[in-house]
Amino acid sequence: MPNLTEPKLISGNANRTLANAIARRMSMHRGMTVGLLDARVERFNDQEVFVEVYENVRGEDMFIIQPTSNPANDNLMELLIMSDALKRSSAQRTTAVIPYFGYARQDRRTKARTPISAKLVANLIVESGIERVLTMDLHAAQIQGFFDIPVDNLYASPIFALDLKHQFGDRMDQITVVSPDVGGVGRARELAKRIGAALAIVDKRREKPGEVAEMTVIGDVQDRICIVVDDICDTAGTLCKAAEVIKEAGASEVHAYITHGVLSGPAVERVSKSMLKSLVITDTIEPTAQVLNATNIRIVPTAPIFAQAILNIWNGTSVSSLFDHGTLSAIYEGLY
């Protein structure tokens, strides 16, 4: 049954811009002001995290908005300590809204004597008192099984499909969706299916981690508008190399749609000088000034889908309904 209390939002310091945007969208849907809980999330001089909540949360349905992006360890500790504070303050239920789930790339043992850090982080989240997780585009879908609590994994592909139709209009029949590696074919196929596009793959072979030795395009990209799709762009080395290889294979334009723009180190400079005509990312990670000022990087909002997902969880209604084109189009009405 739906809860009688109102959903309450609290945010750490990882991405307050997104948290405020989610609160504004929820206010529009509810027809009443939904604000972030009055609280402070600060550091002591030795960098220990301290949380103090100034409002009563007894019996409330709480949603902590906190991606575990750079600095991943600090933001993760903020999430855990906020959860503990709410649990000890008798909140009825606490849901962690983690737009970007850090440590997701460490989801299996690739060699001897290495950790499965994603599982460890899942254990920490559950032990802190969180009862549900809402996230977007987990690096590996099986990470949902690392949790002993419900996990709702939203997808960026429906949002990307709306954006592509808005940006390319009558040129949609010229688009080919490209997966930058074999492991991402499922994600690329999902987007290609949504927009009725052809599919291609970039096969890459590594000599050692972080270095790509050889890339080959599998599929016809001649005179096509190629859309490279992936979940994470970190240093952008692989992405920019893939764009170069696709362009050499005859593509007329190369664009990239990436869910989580980590964009660390030389990433923005590489993208600016690359063969990419545009890089589109979401705001699951707070963009830096360098990202905002880049001429060929564009950001699409996730606040509308997260706001509706939070309301659906609070109401006890379907979250998967948000993957439907008609439903999402209504949520993003006015933006596309």
Side-chain angles (χ1 to χ4, degrees), residues 88-204:
R88 296 177 187 280
S89 303
S90 302
Q92 181 188 61
R93 179 179 67 172
T94 303
T95 299
V97 181
I98 311 175
Y100 170 69
F101 184 83
Y103 285 102
R105 286 175 281 184
Q106 299 180 49
D107 63 320
R108 64 194 185 280
R109 295 187 69 193
T110 56
K111 58 182 72 174
R113 295 175 295 282
T114 57
I116 305 179
S117 303
K119 172 58 177 169
L120 173 61
V121 170
N123 289 345
L124 290 170
I125 288 172
V126 173
E127 288 299 316
S128 72
I130 287 165
E131 298 172 62
R132 191 180 199 98
V133 170
L134 174 64
T135 187
M136 175 171 278
D137 270 357
L138 283 170
H139 184 63
Q142 65 266 22
I143 291 174
Q144 295 171 84
F146 292 177
F147 290 88
D148 293 323
I149 56 175
V151 177
D152 292 303
N153 184 29
L154 301 177
Y155 298 104
S157 60
I159 306 171
F160 289 162
L162 285 175
D163 189 81
L164 283 164
K165 290 173 182 176
H166 177 74
Q167 294 294 323
F168 293 96
D170 57 0
R171 296 196 295 159
M172 288 297 292
D173 59 342
Q174 301 174 35
I175 288 179
T176 293
V177 176
V178 183
S179 172
D181 53 44
V182 175
V185 171
R187 185 178 294 105
R189 185 186 293 119
E190 166 67 17
L191 180 59
K193 182 179 178 182
R194 284 183 176 274
I195 63 175
L199 181 66
I201 304 167
V202 175
D203 178 43
K204 64 183 179 184

Side-chain angles (χ1 to χ4, degrees), residues 287-310:
T288 62
Q290 191 181 17
V291 170
L292 293 172
N293 293 329
T295 55
N296 63 339
I297 298 179
R298 187 163 55 84
I299 301 170
V300 295
T302 57
I305 192 171
F306 273 112
Q308 190 61 56
I310 289 170

